[in-house]
Amino acid sequence: MKKLITIILVAFSVLSCKKDKSSAYDVVEVFPSSEDLLANFQKALDSGSSHWEAMLNPKAGKTYNLYLQLTKDGKALSLVDLTEESAKKIKAATYRLEGKSTNASLIFSAGTHLDDILHKEGFRNVGADTSYAFEMMKGDTLILRGNRFGDELKLINMKAEVAEKYEAGQLSNAFGNLSEFFDSQRFFYFIAEGNIPVQFIIDPDTRSIRVLYVENKQLKFSTTDYAYGLEKIRLKTPLRIGSQVISDLNFDTEKKSFYLQKNQTTRYDLLGATLPVIPLHIMLGEEVTPILSLPSPIFIEELPGWSTSFLDVWMGATNKLFTERGFYLLVMAFELNTKANTVDLKLYFQRGSSIFLGTFPFSFEKTDAGVYTLKRLPFEAGNTPHANAEFIEASVAGLIGLFPNKQYTIDYYDAGDNVIGQFKSVEQADLYFTGEFGSYFE
């Protein structure tokens, strides 16, 4: 079965803020035209400002951090955070500035790390723009727009001491820092303003970050792509948590840990945990599959977290189903429909090489604290899984009888190398059992 963290990651959907127009920026109109921007860029080069930190946001791709050295004689040296290798191995090419009446551009030759940046556009791989028109200035940042694909390139003038760190290959350290830290624990979270636990999920494969938290009893989330930086992870778009906005994930070189800076005096340290901090009853049907499957401890797998009371009932149903009907009980699965507040309690049973499904329909009510009350629903005529359930009901009555008009909580259970779900009876303290997330048969 897949681990919970895998299920959460699969559920990810990357949301990006589309800001393609100039109005997306707080523009400081120092220069009225692209020609003036080009002239001032040339002036900066002539005065010795040749080192630039660049943020590239492809029109249909992720976000990338580059180091560019643009010398006065037209050489272009580059690094990019695609891999550890590309973050420390400088590529040399050339560039030129081109001024026209309607378009002043910065144009790179083949051979820079821009050539290595590819992303999917439909069925084809598309590279990054290599020709950029000067568009605007925002503070000390020049904003350029790709002439072919419309990629956005932000150039930020860099101090010599920062450039030395890039040239020494320190950008590549970000990969190891991130991997070592996030491999040290199963889950991560931080406590935001108002004592709000925020689940923090990072996926290096997709270069995305996702935060989840509960607001007004509802699950909220914010997602963004990221690029690697010097002692930080740079977010493509800010993460929003209530009224808070966070733009970077910083690395503490002494503590070897990551944190989010709220302001000059306050920061949120990322903390490790063996279990998620968002209650499972809120995550079910949202970020986690609402299916929990209980395998037979005899025929499939013995899960931890089963009480003796529940195991005795399971074994009794297993024996009766075999002696009375000739079937082996393989799996019991709870499939919740969190929108309709219904549960299909499914029993999978086998005779010979044939596996059958019997479904017992329930409805449920849930309190804000996550207490479920289950109620039986009638079988539907013409429904084969319902008919199968009705056929074996007398043999498994002891097992099915644990649930009608009974109250249960559903929470996480640490199974050592995995996280699974656990049902606990509210009325009977010694009645509890665990199940894997997902289905064994579908």
Side-chain angles (χ1 to χ4, degrees), residues 214 216-218 279-284 336 338 341 363-375 406-410 424 426-427:
V214 178
N216 297 326
K217 303 174 185 178
Q218 298 294 317
L280 179 56
H281 71 90
I282 292 177
M283 297 281 275
L284 284 172
L336 287 76
T338 56
N341 282 15
S363 65
F364 72 84
E365 296 176 353
K366 181 173 76 80
T367 68
D368 292 339
V371 176
Y372 292 79
T373 302
L374 280 66
K375 298 183 181 298
K406 303 292 174 58
Q407 293 185 325
Y408 286 86
T409 59
I410 310 175
K424 286 186 177 180
V426 174
E427 298 99 342

Side-chain angles (χ1 to χ4, degrees), residues 37-52:
L37 285 171
L38 185 149
N40 279 272
F41 182 72
Q42 182 67 65
K43 183 179 178 181
L45 292 177
D46 293 341
S47 66
S49 299
S50 61
H51 304 283
W52 303 84

Side-chain angles (χ1 to χ4, degrees), residues 278-281 292 409-413 420-424 437:
I278 306 297
L280 179 56
H281 71 90
L292 287 94
T409 59
I410 310 175
D411 211 340
Y412 307 104
Y413 183 88
I420 57 181
Q422 185 176 58
F423 286 72
K424 286 186 177 180
F437 291 102

Side-chain angles (χ1 to χ4, degrees), residues 232-306:
K232 67 170 58 177
I233 299 299
R234 307 184 64 172
L235 308 186
K236 184 175 183 178
T237 53
L239 290 173
R240 298 185 179 275
I241 303 161
S243 61
Q244 301 170 53
V245 178
I246 299 172
S247 300
D248 294 305
L249 179 63
N250 301 286
F251 185 69
D252 187 321
T253 55
E254 292 185 4
K255 296 183 178 180
K256 302 297 182 183
S257 61
F258 282 93
Y259 65 94
L260 300 109
Q261 194 74 44
K262 180 189 175 185
N263 51 45
Q264 290 183 344
T265 59
T266 305
R267 79 183 205 182
Y268 304 127
D269 288 282
L270 287 188
L271 307 172
T274 56
L275 298 173
V277 296
I278 306 297
L280 179 56
H281 71 90
I282 292 177
M283 297 281 275
L284 284 172
E286 297 290 341
E287 295 293 315
V288 179
T289 177
I291 302 174
L292 287 94
S293 297
L294 285 64
S296 167
I298 304 172
F299 306 116
I300 299 181
E301 179 184 5
E302 185 176 352
L303 294 182
W306 284 29

